[in-house]
Every structure is written in C-alpha cells, then in structure tokens.
mmCIF file of all heavy atoms in Angstrom:
data_model
loop_
_atom_site.group_PDB
_atom_site.id
_atom_site.type_symbol
_atom_site.label_atom_id
_atom_site.label_comp_id
_atom_site.label_asym_id
_atom_site.label_seq_id
_atom_site.Cartn_x
_atom_site.Cartn_y
_atom_site.Cartn_z
ATOM 1 N N PRO J 262 -6.256 1.189 14.673
ATOM 2 C CA PRO J 262 -6.961 0.900 13.417
ATOM 3 C C PRO J 262 -6.678 1.987 12.381
ATOM 4 O O PRO J 262 -6.476 3.158 12.733
ATOM 5 C CB PRO J 262 -8.441 0.915 13.822
ATOM 6 C CG PRO J 262 -8.440 0.668 15.300
ATOM 7 C CD PRO J 262 -7.176 1.312 15.811
ATOM 8 N N ALA J 263 -6.666 1.589 11.123
ATOM 9 C CA ALA J 263 -6.478 2.553 10.037
ATOM 10 C C ALA J 263 -7.666 3.508 9.994
ATOM 11 O O ALA J 263 -8.812 3.113 10.247
ATOM 12 C CB ALA J 263 -6.350 1.823 8.708
ATOM 13 N N ARG J 264 -7.381 4.767 9.695
ATOM 14 C CA ARG J 264 -8.412 5.809 9.572
ATOM 15 C C ARG J 264 -8.487 6.270 8.119
ATOM 16 O O ARG J 264 -7.500 6.196 7.387
ATOM 17 C CB ARG J 264 -8.054 7.013 10.433
ATOM 18 C CG ARG J 264 -7.914 6.720 11.899
ATOM 19 C CD ARG J 264 -7.488 7.995 12.647
ATOM 20 N NE ARG J 264 -7.139 7.675 14.015
ATOM 21 C CZ ARG J 264 -6.092 8.173 14.652
ATOM 22 N NH1 ARG J 264 -5.291 9.039 14.065
ATOM 23 N NH2 ARG J 264 -5.844 7.832 15.897
ATOM 24 N N GLU J 265 -9.624 6.827 7.744
ATOM 25 C CA GLU J 265 -9.798 7.339 6.375
ATOM 26 C C GLU J 265 -8.666 8.288 5.988
ATOM 27 O O GLU J 265 -8.175 8.265 4.865
ATOM 28 C CB GLU J 265 -11.143 8.055 6.231
ATOM 29 C CG GLU J 265 -12.340 7.127 6.216
ATOM 30 C CD GLU J 265 -12.587 6.447 4.880
ATOM 31 O OE1 GLU J 265 -11.889 6.747 3.886
ATOM 32 O OE2 GLU J 265 -13.487 5.599 4.835
ATOM 33 N N ALA J 266 -8.249 9.157 6.913
ATOM 34 C CA ALA J 266 -7.214 10.158 6.620
ATOM 35 C C ALA J 266 -5.836 9.535 6.394
ATOM 36 O O ALA J 266 -4.912 10.226 5.964
ATOM 37 C CB ALA J 266 -7.143 11.176 7.755
ATOM 38 N N ASP J 267 -5.681 8.243 6.652
ATOM 39 C CA ASP J 267 -4.391 7.563 6.505
ATOM 40 C C ASP J 267 -4.099 7.126 5.080
ATOM 41 O O ASP J 267 -3.034 6.566 4.820
ATOM 42 C CB ASP J 267 -4.341 6.299 7.391
ATOM 43 C CG ASP J 267 -4.342 6.590 8.865
ATOM 44 O OD1 ASP J 267 -3.860 7.668 9.264
ATOM 45 O OD2 ASP J 267 -4.839 5.725 9.620
ATOM 46 N N PHE J 268 -5.025 7.352 4.159
ATOM 47 C CA PHE J 268 -4.898 6.722 2.837
ATOM 48 C C PHE J 268 -3.535 6.931 2.199
ATOM 49 O O PHE J 268 -2.903 5.966 1.750
ATOM 50 C CB PHE J 268 -5.992 7.179 1.862
ATOM 51 C CG PHE J 268 -5.804 6.565 0.495
ATOM 52 C CD1 PHE J 268 -6.150 5.246 0.263
ATOM 53 C CD2 PHE J 268 -5.215 7.290 -0.534
ATOM 54 C CE1 PHE J 268 -5.936 4.653 -0.970
ATOM 55 C CE2 PHE J 268 -5.000 6.709 -1.777
ATOM 56 C CZ PHE J 268 -5.364 5.386 -1.994
ATOM 57 N N ASP J 269 -3.047 8.150 2.085
ATOM 58 C CA ASP J 269 -1.802 8.395 1.356
ATOM 59 C C ASP J 269 -0.620 7.649 1.983
ATOM 60 O O ASP J 269 0.180 7.033 1.264
ATOM 61 C CB ASP J 269 -1.501 9.889 1.268
ATOM 62 C CG ASP J 269 -2.470 10.622 0.358
ATOM 63 O OD1 ASP J 269 -3.097 9.990 -0.525
ATOM 64 O OD2 ASP J 269 -2.610 11.850 0.528
ATOM 65 N N GLN J 270 -0.523 7.681 3.298
ATOM 66 C CA GLN J 270 0.580 6.972 3.952
ATOM 67 C C GLN J 270 0.395 5.455 3.871
ATOM 68 O O GLN J 270 1.358 4.712 3.665
ATOM 69 C CB GLN J 270 0.696 7.406 5.412
ATOM 70 C CG GLN J 270 1.171 8.831 5.588
ATOM 71 C CD GLN J 270 1.445 9.112 7.047
ATOM 72 O OE1 GLN J 270 2.430 8.601 7.594
ATOM 73 N NE2 GLN J 270 0.569 9.885 7.682
ATOM 74 N N TRP J 271 -0.849 5.002 4.037
ATOM 75 C CA TRP J 271 -1.143 3.570 3.896
ATOM 76 C C TRP J 271 -0.785 3.108 2.492
ATOM 77 O O TRP J 271 -0.175 2.060 2.309
ATOM 78 C CB TRP J 271 -2.621 3.309 4.196
ATOM 79 C CG TRP J 271 -3.078 1.935 3.830
ATOM 80 C CD1 TRP J 271 -3.035 0.820 4.617
ATOM 81 C CD2 TRP J 271 -3.639 1.514 2.573
ATOM 82 N NE1 TRP J 271 -3.542 -0.266 3.928
ATOM 83 C CE2 TRP J 271 -3.912 0.144 2.677
ATOM 84 C CE3 TRP J 271 -3.938 2.166 1.384
ATOM 85 C CZ2 TRP J 271 -4.461 -0.585 1.626
ATOM 86 C CZ3 TRP J 271 -4.486 1.448 0.335
ATOM 87 C CH2 TRP J 271 -4.744 0.080 0.460
ATOM 88 N N ARG J 272 -1.141 3.918 1.500
ATOM 89 C CA ARG J 272 -0.885 3.552 0.102
ATOM 90 C C ARG J 272 0.614 3.407 -0.148
ATOM 91 O O ARG J 272 1.048 2.487 -0.840
ATOM 92 C CB ARG J 272 -1.504 4.588 -0.846
ATOM 93 C CG ARG J 272 -1.272 4.273 -2.320
ATOM 94 C CD ARG J 272 -1.949 2.947 -2.690
ATOM 95 N NE ARG J 272 -1.657 2.554 -4.041
ATOM 96 C CZ ARG J 272 -0.954 1.465 -4.384
ATOM 97 N NH1 ARG J 272 -0.468 0.655 -3.458
ATOM 98 N NH2 ARG J 272 -0.754 1.172 -5.644
ATOM 99 N N ALA J 273 1.413 4.305 0.410
ATOM 100 C CA ALA J 273 2.862 4.202 0.241
ATOM 101 C C ALA J 273 3.384 2.900 0.858
ATOM 102 O O ALA J 273 4.218 2.203 0.257
ATOM 103 C CB ALA J 273 3.553 5.411 0.854
ATOM 104 N N LEU J 274 2.888 2.549 2.037
ATOM 105 C CA LEU J 274 3.292 1.285 2.661
ATOM 106 C C LEU J 274 2.818 0.090 1.840
ATOM 107 O O LEU J 274 3.574 -0.871 1.631
ATOM 108 C CB LEU J 274 2.731 1.189 4.081
ATOM 109 C CG LEU J 274 3.372 2.084 5.128
ATOM 110 C CD1 LEU J 274 2.527 2.096 6.400
ATOM 111 C CD2 LEU J 274 4.803 1.652 5.419
ATOM 112 N N TYR J 275 1.576 0.140 1.382
ATOM 113 C CA TYR J 275 1.025 -0.996 0.629
ATOM 114 C C TYR J 275 1.748 -1.160 -0.702
ATOM 115 O O TYR J 275 1.955 -2.280 -1.170
ATOM 116 C CB TYR J 275 -0.481 -0.816 0.451
ATOM 117 C CG TYR J 275 -1.231 -2.100 0.221
ATOM 118 C CD1 TYR J 275 -0.915 -3.273 0.901
ATOM 119 C CD2 TYR J 275 -2.285 -2.150 -0.682
ATOM 120 C CE1 TYR J 275 -1.606 -4.443 0.693
ATOM 121 C CE2 TYR J 275 -2.985 -3.320 -0.899
ATOM 122 C CZ TYR J 275 -2.633 -4.470 -0.209
ATOM 123 O OH TYR J 275 -3.326 -5.633 -0.437
ATOM 124 N N ARG J 276 2.171 -0.056 -1.296
ATOM 125 C CA ARG J 276 2.974 -0.118 -2.521
ATOM 126 C C ARG J 276 4.309 -0.799 -2.208
ATOM 127 O O ARG J 276 4.781 -1.634 -2.976
ATOM 128 C CB ARG J 276 3.197 1.284 -3.087
ATOM 129 C CG ARG J 276 3.907 1.298 -4.433
ATOM 130 C CD ARG J 276 4.022 2.714 -4.999
ATOM 131 N NE ARG J 276 2.714 3.259 -5.305
ATOM 132 C CZ ARG J 276 2.131 4.283 -4.644
ATOM 133 N NH1 ARG J 276 2.756 4.875 -3.640
ATOM 134 N NH2 ARG J 276 0.946 4.716 -4.997
ATOM 135 N N GLY J 277 4.916 -0.449 -1.079
ATOM 136 C CA GLY J 277 6.162 -1.089 -0.681
ATOM 137 C C GLY J 277 5.991 -2.587 -0.472
ATOM 138 O O GLY J 277 6.858 -3.381 -0.853
ATOM 139 N N TYR J 278 4.869 -2.971 0.108
ATOM 140 C CA TYR J 278 4.571 -4.394 0.321
ATOM 141 C C TYR J 278 4.431 -5.118 -1.015
ATOM 142 O O TYR J 278 5.026 -6.184 -1.226
ATOM 143 C CB TYR J 278 3.287 -4.508 1.147
ATOM 144 C CG TYR J 278 2.840 -5.917 1.427
ATOM 145 C CD1 TYR J 278 3.510 -6.712 2.343
ATOM 146 C CD2 TYR J 278 1.732 -6.451 0.779
ATOM 147 C CE1 TYR J 278 3.088 -8.003 2.615
ATOM 148 C CE2 TYR J 278 1.299 -7.736 1.043
ATOM 149 C CZ TYR J 278 1.987 -8.514 1.957
ATOM 150 O OH TYR J 278 1.567 -9.792 2.210
ATOM 151 N N ALA J 279 3.659 -4.541 -1.938
ATOM 152 C CA ALA J 279 3.476 -5.147 -3.261
ATOM 153 C C ALA J 279 4.811 -5.233 -3.993
ATOM 154 O O ALA J 279 5.118 -6.258 -4.623
ATOM 155 C CB ALA J 279 2.454 -4.348 -4.070
ATOM 156 N N ASP J 280 5.611 -4.184 -3.912
ATOM 157 C CA ASP J 280 6.924 -4.195 -4.573
ATOM 158 C C ASP J 280 7.821 -5.275 -3.990
ATOM 159 O O ASP J 280 8.542 -5.959 -4.721
ATOM 160 C CB ASP J 280 7.605 -2.830 -4.436
ATOM 161 C CG ASP J 280 6.940 -1.742 -5.260
ATOM 162 O OD1 ASP J 280 6.066 -2.049 -6.110
ATOM 163 O OD2 ASP J 280 7.285 -0.555 -5.039
ATOM 164 N N PHE J 281 7.786 -5.444 -2.666
ATOM 165 C CA PHE J 281 8.608 -6.470 -2.022
ATOM 166 C C PHE J 281 8.310 -7.842 -2.598
ATOM 167 O O PHE J 281 9.212 -8.639 -2.844
ATOM 168 C CB PHE J 281 8.372 -6.467 -0.507
ATOM 169 C CG PHE J 281 9.146 -7.527 0.216
ATOM 170 C CD1 PHE J 281 10.473 -7.317 0.557
ATOM 171 C CD2 PHE J 281 8.559 -8.741 0.545
ATOM 172 C CE1 PHE J 281 11.204 -8.297 1.221
ATOM 173 C CE2 PHE J 281 9.280 -9.730 1.201
ATOM 174 C CZ PHE J 281 10.607 -9.507 1.536
ATOM 175 N N TYR J 282 7.028 -8.124 -2.816
ATOM 176 C CA TYR J 282 6.628 -9.427 -3.357
ATOM 177 C C TYR J 282 6.525 -9.430 -4.879
ATOM 178 O O TYR J 282 6.048 -10.400 -5.463
ATOM 179 C CB TYR J 282 5.309 -9.889 -2.715
ATOM 180 C CG TYR J 282 5.550 -10.487 -1.346
ATOM 181 C CD1 TYR J 282 5.087 -9.859 -0.204
ATOM 182 C CD2 TYR J 282 6.252 -11.675 -1.200
ATOM 183 C CE1 TYR J 282 5.312 -10.401 1.060
ATOM 184 C CE2 TYR J 282 6.481 -12.225 0.054
ATOM 185 C CZ TYR J 282 6.011 -11.582 1.170
ATOM 186 O OH TYR J 282 6.241 -12.128 2.412
ATOM 187 N N ARG J 283 6.958 -8.336 -5.514
ATOM 188 C CA ARG J 283 6.959 -8.217 -6.975
ATOM 189 C C ARG J 283 5.566 -8.464 -7.562
ATOM 190 O O ARG J 283 5.401 -9.189 -8.533
ATOM 191 C CB ARG J 283 7.986 -9.151 -7.598
ATOM 192 C CG ARG J 283 9.404 -8.824 -7.215
ATOM 193 C CD ARG J 283 10.393 -9.797 -7.846
ATOM 194 N NE ARG J 283 11.746 -9.521 -7.436
ATOM 195 C CZ ARG J 283 12.349 -10.067 -6.372
ATOM 196 N NH1 ARG J 283 11.698 -10.911 -5.609
ATOM 197 N NH2 ARG J 283 13.592 -9.762 -6.080
ATOM 198 N N VAL J 284 4.584 -7.847 -6.910
ATOM 199 C CA VAL J 284 3.202 -7.937 -7.371
ATOM 200 C C VAL J 284 2.809 -6.584 -7.945
ATOM 201 O O VAL J 284 2.942 -5.569 -7.265
ATOM 202 C CB VAL J 284 2.255 -8.307 -6.202
ATOM 203 C CG1 VAL J 284 0.793 -8.220 -6.622
ATOM 204 C CG2 VAL J 284 2.594 -9.689 -5.668
ATOM 205 N N GLU J 285 2.368 -6.600 -9.189
ATOM 206 C CA GLU J 285 1.905 -5.352 -9.778
ATOM 207 C C GLU J 285 0.527 -5.045 -9.211
ATOM 208 O O GLU J 285 -0.377 -5.882 -9.267
ATOM 209 C CB GLU J 285 1.835 -5.472 -11.299
ATOM 210 C CG GLU J 285 1.555 -4.143 -11.960
ATOM 211 C CD GLU J 285 1.729 -4.186 -13.460
ATOM 212 O OE1 GLU J 285 2.570 -4.970 -13.943
ATOM 213 O OE2 GLU J 285 1.013 -3.436 -14.136
ATOM 214 N N GLN J 286 0.380 -3.878 -8.660
ATOM 215 C CA GLN J 286 -0.880 -3.499 -8.032
ATOM 216 C C GLN J 286 -1.339 -2.158 -8.605
ATOM 217 O O GLN J 286 -0.627 -1.169 -8.494
ATOM 218 C CB GLN J 286 -0.702 -3.395 -6.519
ATOM 219 C CG GLN J 286 -1.989 -3.131 -5.787
ATOM 220 C CD GLN J 286 -1.731 -2.997 -4.304
ATOM 221 O OE1 GLN J 286 -1.087 -2.070 -3.872
ATOM 222 N NE2 GLN J 286 -2.229 -3.951 -3.554
ATOM 223 N N THR J 287 -2.497 -2.152 -9.195
ATOM 224 C CA THR J 287 -3.024 -0.914 -9.767
ATOM 225 C C THR J 287 -3.576 -0.018 -8.668
ATOM 226 O O THR J 287 -3.886 -0.479 -7.566
ATOM 227 C CB THR J 287 -4.150 -1.216 -10.771
ATOM 228 O OG1 THR J 287 -5.254 -1.788 -10.047
ATOM 229 C CG2 THR J 287 -3.692 -2.160 -11.874
ATOM 230 N N GLU J 288 -3.690 1.249 -8.990
ATOM 231 C CA GLU J 288 -4.307 2.183 -8.050
ATOM 232 C C GLU J 288 -5.755 1.773 -7.786
ATOM 233 O O GLU J 288 -6.241 1.883 -6.660
ATOM 234 C CB GLU J 288 -4.231 3.619 -8.570
ATOM 235 C CG GLU J 288 -2.823 4.188 -8.553
ATOM 236 C CD GLU J 288 -2.183 4.145 -7.172
ATOM 237 O OE1 GLU J 288 -2.807 4.589 -6.189
ATOM 238 O OE2 GLU J 288 -1.039 3.654 -7.079
#
C-alpha cells in the first residue's frame, strides 16, 4: 500500500500516467 512518505515518488509516477494519456493535471 502507498504510504504518506511516498508522495514525491508517487507524484512523479502519477505525472507520467497523466502525461501518457495527455491529461493536464494540476498539483
């Protein structure tokens, strides 16, 4: 399961996911 301390790495992955689908995602 994702942990609170994972935010920065999770965010980088989630940004990659949004970019793959060409979805603009705000912080």
Side-chain angles (χ1 to χ4, degrees):
R264 300 177 189 137
E265 287 281 355
D267 293 332
F268 177 77
D269 290 338
Q270 291 188 72
W271 169 88
R272 180 63 185 115
L274 288 168
Y275 204 39
R276 186 176 295 112
Y278 179 73
D280 290 349
F281 178 82
Y282 280 113
R283 296 179 182 91
V284 172
E285 188 170 329
Q286 185 182 66
T287 66
E288 290 304 310

